[in-house]
Amino acid sequence: MDDTLEKIKNISSKADINNRRYLGNKFKLLDFIKGVIKENCSDIETVADIFSGTGAVASAFTDKQIITNDLMYSNFICNYAWFGGQDFDGQKIRRIIAGYNALNVTESNYMTVNFADTYFSGADCAKIGHIREDIETLYAKHKINERERALLIMSLIYAMDKIANTCGHYDAYIQGAAFDKHLILSVPTVNASNNPLNQCYNEDANQLVTHIYADLVYLDPPYNSRQYCDTYHLLENVARWEKPDVYGVAKKMDRSALKSRYCTRSAETAFRELIGGIRARY
C-alpha cells in the first residue's frame, strides 16, 4: 500500500457539526426546540433557518427539506458542505485531506505575511495559506466540484478554530502564547444523501424571505451589539480568500459590507420588516 493510501487508512479524526466554537450556538437546545415544534406544528416538510450560523438547528431537521442562510460566507460555505444536495466523492475528500495533513510547508504566502505568530504559528500560517490556495486551484481545474470545495474549506475552518490562539473568537489573540497545537484537518461527517431540494443562501435575511417559502421558519438573529463579522473576521477572510489588506492589532479586514442591522439600534425596525416579509405557516 502506498504512503497516500496508508494515510487515508489511518485518518480517524472526524468533524461533527458541533465541533466549532461559536457564540449563540443552539446545539445543546436542539431537544427543546424539536419538542416545541413537535407539540405545536404539524405537517412540516420544509424548514428554513435564516440566521443559520454553524447550522446546528438545521441539522435537527435533515429528514425535511432544509433552507439555510447566513450573511457571513464562512457560515454559508459550511452550511453548503453540511446540507448541500450535490454529490461528492468521499474517498477523494479523504485522500486530499490526508495529503494536506502530511504537508511540511515553509513558503511565504498571504497568511504568513499577515498572521504569522498571532492567532497561529508561522508554520501553521504557511500551511493554512498553501492549503487554501490549493483548494481554489483544484476547483479552477475542475478536479473538485462545488460541494467538494465547500467540504475542504469547511475542514480547514474547523481545523483552524480548533488550534487558534484565542479565547474562542478573533477580536484578539493571546500575546506570547506557546503554539503547542498544530493544524490537522479532519474528515467532515456529512450526509452523502441530503435532500436534493435543500437550498443554502448567503444573503440578507430580510431580502431572502421575500422570495422563499417554508412551512416553518426559525429565527435566531444576533441579539447584542457585537457584530459576528468582527468576532470571526479571520475565518471569514480565509473562507472568502480575496486576500484583502488587514489592519490593527487584531488583523481585521474591511467588514463594512458584512455589518448586520440586528446588532444596531435599528434592530427593532429590521425585525418588524422581517416578520412582515416572511411567507410561512409557522
Side-chain angles (χ1 to χ4, degrees):
M1 183 180 293
D2 64 34
D3 288 345
T4 301
L5 290 178
E6 187 64 37
K7 291 185 182 75
I8 295 170
K9 180 180 178 181
N10 291 335
I11 287 180
S12 58
S13 179
K14 304 290 184 181
D16 295 324
I17 196 166
N18 61 315
N19 295 153
R20 182 178 162 198
R21 298 176 291 181
Y22 200 78
L23 292 171
N25 191 321
K26 298 300 186 294
F27 185 78
K28 293 182 179 180
L29 295 178
L30 291 186
D31 288 342
F32 167 76
I33 292 170
K34 288 189 291 184
V36 170
I37 292 171
K38 183 177 181 180
E39 183 176 345
N40 295 281
C41 308
S42 59
D43 300 323
I44 300 298
E45 296 182 1
T46 307
V47 176
D49 181 3
I50 60 173
F51 298 91
S52 55
T54 63
V57 171
S59 73
F61 301 98
T62 52
D63 59 329
K64 319 291 184 187
Q65 179 191 350
I66 299 170
I67 301 173
T68 66
N69 176 65
D70 201 275
L71 189 61
M72 292 183 65
Y73 184 81
S74 50
N75 289 335
F76 157 76
I77 202 70
C78 290
N79 285 322
Y80 186 73
W82 288 119
F83 307 117
Q86 187 178 28
D87 291 335
F88 66 93
D89 184 336
Q91 176 136 338
K92 182 200 297 183
I93 295 298
R94 290 191 292 274
R95 183 185 303 112
I96 293 172
I97 288 176
Y100 287 159
N101 286 338
L103 286 172
N104 182 16
V105 183
T106 59
E107 69 185 31
S108 175
N109 56 42
Y110 176 77
M111 291 299 295
T112 61
V113 169
N114 291 289
F115 300 104
D117 300 323
T118 59
Y119 301 98
F120 308 96
S121 69
D124 281 317
C125 281
K127 193 170 182 177
I128 291 166
H130 180 91
I131 290 171
R132 187 63 189 88
E133 191 68 29
D134 188 67
I135 294 171
E136 291 307 302
T137 299
L138 292 174
Y139 184 64
K141 292 181 176 179
H142 306 291
K143 293 184 177 181
I144 56 174
N145 64 26
E146 189 174 3
R147 181 94 183 276
E148 290 163 347
R149 173 181 177 269
L151 286 163
L152 293 172
I153 295 172
M154 180 178 72
S155 179
L156 178 60
I157 287 174
Y158 273 55
M160 291 170 61
D161 191 56
K162 194 171 184 179
I163 67 166
N165 174 31
T166 71
C167 295
H169 50 74
Y170 297 82
D171 267 335
Y173 55 86
I174 303 168
Q175 295 189 3
F179 295 100
D180 53 357
K181 297 179 181 178
H182 298 289
L183 190 80
I184 298 293
L185 277 65
S186 300
V187 178
T189 57
V190 295
N191 190 341
S193 56
N194 286 336
N195 189 322
L197 298 178
N198 286 355
Q199 302 166 40
C200 301
Y201 294 96
N202 178 212
E203 298 185 19
D204 181 293
N206 286 46
Q207 297 175 15
L208 175 69
V209 295
T210 64
H211 59 85
I212 63 168
Y213 172 85
D215 296 317
L216 170 69
V217 175
Y218 175 81
L219 306 177
D220 185 12
Y223 38 79
N224 60 45
S225 62
R226 302 299 295 174
Q227 292 277 352
Y228 275 71
C229 60
D230 293 340
T231 304
Y232 300 104
H233 63 93
L234 180 50
L235 300 183
E236 183 74 1
N237 191 346
V238 171
R240 290 178 176 272
W241 205 235
E242 297 164 349
K243 304 176 187 173
D245 292 335
V246 298
Y247 56 88
V249 175
K251 306 290 186 178
K252 296 181 179 182
M253 77 286 196
D254 179 17
R255 305 166 311 288
S256 54
L258 298 172
K259 300 292 186 180
S260 170
R261 287 195 291 161
Y262 289 91
C263 296
T264 70
R265 292 181 179 180
S266 62
E268 180 183 349
T269 300
F271 200 65
R272 289 183 183 277
E273 292 174 0
L274 180 70
I275 297 298
I278 288 175
R279 297 186 301 149
R281 291 194 294 121
Y282 301 102

